[in-house]
């Protein structure tokens, strides 16, 4: 079948395509120290999100908590884009791809992972979500023909073994009770991985910040809609700590961290930047221990070691 040729990605004066995130990732960098600093901000913000979200769930139901934070983030990012005089208009032919990306990258990822925390601790949720690079490698093979090598082939069962240890290393009743949360967060990781691979297959013709504005904005709508149907949040009873958590999620992980992530991709090779996300589950587990007093048992340590090893293998080329 003959495929129609897509119009070329708009280019800036510095020669980089403004809408192709993969081209930003591959761009050469002369300021690696800045790139690593930005990557550290990204990993720290995303890592601490897990215990913060767990705290917010004490005051708000899961969908209302995540959806409200995303709505605030989209509004803030839109204001930032307008102040920077970036275009927010979406080309007519991009709406369907943008809506699908928002559904996979934000609605499914944020909604399912948040629901999973009703069965798991913040550290456990972060550990299970750390299988994302493994799923992305497998999906890239199936959807893009990027056949994994021996290391990537070994990574998938190793990551799954980590999840089994997390659930099976506890008393039978407690372990089985965590299965719904594990399944939800694994599904969230699969959806996010699918969205990442599809964005590589067909990049959106939009500036990176504009993509984030629309994906967060559109992605929060199904979450808020589902919350309106099935949840009854009592907004008047939300504590100061709960509101602080919502604002934190809106400002740091859903706004600043996405901006620093794309900025890091401009300065670092994609492989090095991806390796930096390995800090997220580690920081999430430690933050859960420090902030929430969550236990750190042997099964958590072994599961984390297995999954991080699988991600290291999946990241090899």
């Amino acid at each position: 079948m003959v495929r129609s040729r897509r119009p070329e990605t708009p280019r800036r004066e510095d020669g980089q395509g403004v809408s192709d995130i993969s081209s930003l990732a591959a761009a050469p960098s002369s300021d690696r120290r800045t790139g690593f600093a930005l990557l550290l901000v990204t990993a720290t913000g995303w890592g601490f999100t897990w215990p913060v979200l767990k705290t917010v769930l004490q005051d708000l139901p899961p969908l209302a908590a995540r959806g409200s934070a995303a709505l605030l983030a989209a509004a803030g990012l839109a204001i930032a884009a307008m102040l920077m005089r970036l275009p927010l208009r979406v080309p007519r032919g991009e709406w369907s791809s943008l809506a699908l990306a928002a559904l996979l990258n934000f609605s499914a990822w944020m909604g399912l992972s948040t629901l999973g925390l009703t069965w798991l601790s913040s550290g456990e949720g972060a550990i299970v979500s750390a299988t994302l690079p493994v799923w992305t490698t497998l999906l890239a093979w199936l959807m893009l023909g990027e056949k994994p090598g021996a290391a990537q082939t070994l990574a998938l069962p190793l990551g799954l073994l980590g999840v089994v240890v997390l659930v099976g290393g506890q008393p039978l009743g407690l372990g089985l009770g965590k299965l719904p949360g594990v399944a939800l967060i694994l599904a969230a990781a699969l959806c996010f991985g699918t969205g990442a691979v599809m964005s590589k297959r067909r990049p959106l013709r939009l500036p990176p910040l504009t993509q984030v504005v629309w994906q967060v904005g559109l992605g929060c709508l199904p979450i808020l809609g589902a919350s309106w149907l099935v949840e009854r949040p009592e907004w008047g009873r939300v504590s100061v700590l709960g509101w602080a958590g919502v604002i934190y999620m809106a400002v740091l992980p859903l706004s600043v961290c996405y901006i620093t992530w794309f900025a890091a991709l401009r300065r670092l090779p994609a492989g090095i930047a991806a390796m930096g996300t390995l800090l997220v589950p580690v920081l999430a587990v430690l933050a859960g221990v420090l902030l929430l007093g969550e236990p750190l048992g042997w099964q958590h340590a072994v599961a984390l070691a297995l999954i991080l090893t699988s991600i290291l293998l999946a990241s090899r080329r």
Side-chain angles (χ1 to χ4, degrees), residues 71-90:
L71 185 62
L72 288 175
L77 288 168
I79 293 172
M82 288 186 289
L83 291 175
M84 297 169 63
R85 298 184 179 180
L86 292 176
L88 289 175
R89 186 182 64 84
V90 178

Side-chain angles (χ1 to χ4, degrees), residues 233-309:
E234 298 182 12
W235 297 101
R237 296 188 178 182
V238 179
S239 65
V240 173
L241 188 60
W243 281 118
V246 171
I247 294 172
Y248 169 89
M249 291 190 296
V251 172
L252 198 59
L254 290 176
S255 297
V256 173
C257 287
Y258 275 101
I259 294 172
T260 56
W261 169 246
F262 289 128
L265 285 177
R266 294 188 185 98
R267 293 167 171 84
L268 297 172
I272 294 177
M275 294 292 288
T277 62
L278 299 180
L279 289 172
V280 174
V282 177
L283 291 171
V285 171
L286 295 178
V289 173
L290 295 173
L291 299 179
L292 304 180
E294 294 179 349
L296 184 63
W298 70 267
Q299 72 274 13
H300 297 86
V302 173
L304 187 60
L306 287 170
I307 291 175
L308 289 180
T309 302

Side-chain angles (χ1 to χ4, degrees), residues 100-123:
L100 181 59
L103 181 64
L104 293 171
N105 295 331
F106 289 91
S107 301
W109 167 248
M110 291 190 297
L112 296 176
S113 63
T114 304
L115 288 172
L117 286 184
T118 59
W119 286 272
L120 302 176
S121 70
S122 63

